[in-house]
Amino acid sequence: MTEPSEVAHVRWIAGGTGAGKTTVTRLLAQRHHLAVYDGDAAEANYIHRCDEHRQPHMTALLRMSPIEPSTGHTAEELFASMPSRHGETFPFVLEDLQAMTRQGTVLADDFRTRPADIAPLLTNPEHAVFLLPTSQFRRRQLTERYADPARAKANWGNSDHQKALEIRLARDHYWDQETRTEAADLGLTVIDIDGTTPPTTIANELTTRFNLT
């Protein structure tokens, strides 16, 4: 079992897709010369560490055809089967972060990390925040992100890209709702993102919360 002291060097920036977590993380990393754990980039390395007994939902996802996770299921089904909802990816995150202790303070930018994962490991509740976008803001962000047909195809294959986007938006809405509820129950901070607050302002707030000055 991981002890809080083993990840006391980590500052957690989690939440919903399209909220600008990576932008804020990069601003903080550049400003304070900090190491970053990029959860999206790290995900590829989870595959060879996946065990069908410990990560059954992740194993099932890896066995799907490229089109099946995009339009072959409802948003509710996809949300219910997300490996991260069942704690299957967090052990990989912890392993990776424990290997980064010599790099000083590390910013963990990871969509998949839930409040329930982090709460028992915090030495200071201010060291974790969850950025949650409004539905309108996320729609703008993801519509722009996947406006490039090549990028959309890389994610959703030859499926109906508009249908895949709508399912993705609905699935992520469920994720945000659960994250917000968990964070409130555990006394962790949620920052709502609607596009009116500049990323630099959010970075300033996190500099204080994370005691980076």
Side-chain angles (χ1 to χ4, degrees):
M1 179 179 292
T2 302
E3 296 296 328
S5 60
E6 297 178 71
V7 287
H9 62 296
V10 181
R11 303 295 182 268
W12 305 88
I13 302 175
T17 55
K21 296 183 300 299
T22 298
T23 298
V24 171
T25 299
R26 286 174 179 166
L27 285 171
L28 290 172
Q30 292 168 3
R31 184 182 297 177
H32 302 286
H33 309 289
L34 302 177
V36 171
Y37 179 74
D38 183 338
D40 288 343
E43 185 181 27
N45 292 318
Y46 301 164
I47 295 174
H48 72 275
R49 296 150 72 184
C50 179
D51 179 274
E52 63 179 342
H53 301 294
R54 292 194 296 270
Q55 285 91 24
H57 293 87
M58 187 173 181
T59 300
L61 183 63
L62 292 172
R63 289 174 177 169
M64 290 182 185
S65 67
I67 191 174
E68 193 174 348
S70 304
T71 57
H73 295 277
T74 66
E76 292 87 349
E77 290 170 338
L78 291 177
F79 171 65
S81 64
M82 289 174 69
S84 49
R85 283 198 69 232
H86 301 275
E88 293 182 7
T89 57
F90 195 58
F92 300 139
V93 176
L94 289 179
E95 287 176 12
D96 293 345
L97 289 170
Q98 286 171 302
M100 299 176 72
T101 53
R102 295 184 179 180
Q103 298 187 38
T105 299
V106 175
L107 302 173
D109 167 15
D110 187 39
F111 153 72
R112 298 159 197 81
T113 297
R114 303 173 306 137
D117 294 326
I118 301 173
L121 299 174
L122 291 174
T123 56
N124 183 339
E126 292 289 293
H127 290 173
V129 298
F130 297 84
L131 307 186
L132 296 180
T134 63
S135 297
Q136 296 85 349
F137 183 71
R138 174 160 42 222
R139 178 175 288 277
R140 291 199 304 271
Q141 293 297 99
L142 295 193
T143 298
E144 180 178 337
R145 181 182 300 180
Y146 295 112
D148 177 2
R151 184 169 186 178
K153 185 172 183 178
N155 281 268
W156 299 322
N158 293 317
S159 65
D160 181 334
H161 292 171
Q162 186 57 46
K163 180 179 179 182
L165 175 60
E166 294 301 326
I167 291 173
R168 170 71 178 273
L169 290 168
R171 184 208 70 170
D172 289 351
H173 177 68
Y174 291 128
W175 174 269
D176 286 2
Q177 286 182 314
E178 185 165 272
T179 297
R180 186 181 297 279
T181 299
E182 278 190 6
D185 289 345
L186 294 166
L188 299 181
T189 299
V190 167
I191 298 177
D192 293 305
I193 305 296
D194 63 6
T196 61
T197 303
T200 50
T201 300
I202 298 171
N204 291 342
E205 178 178 343
L206 297 192
T207 292
T208 301
R209 285 185 178 277
F210 292 169
N211 194 29
L212 300 178
T213 54

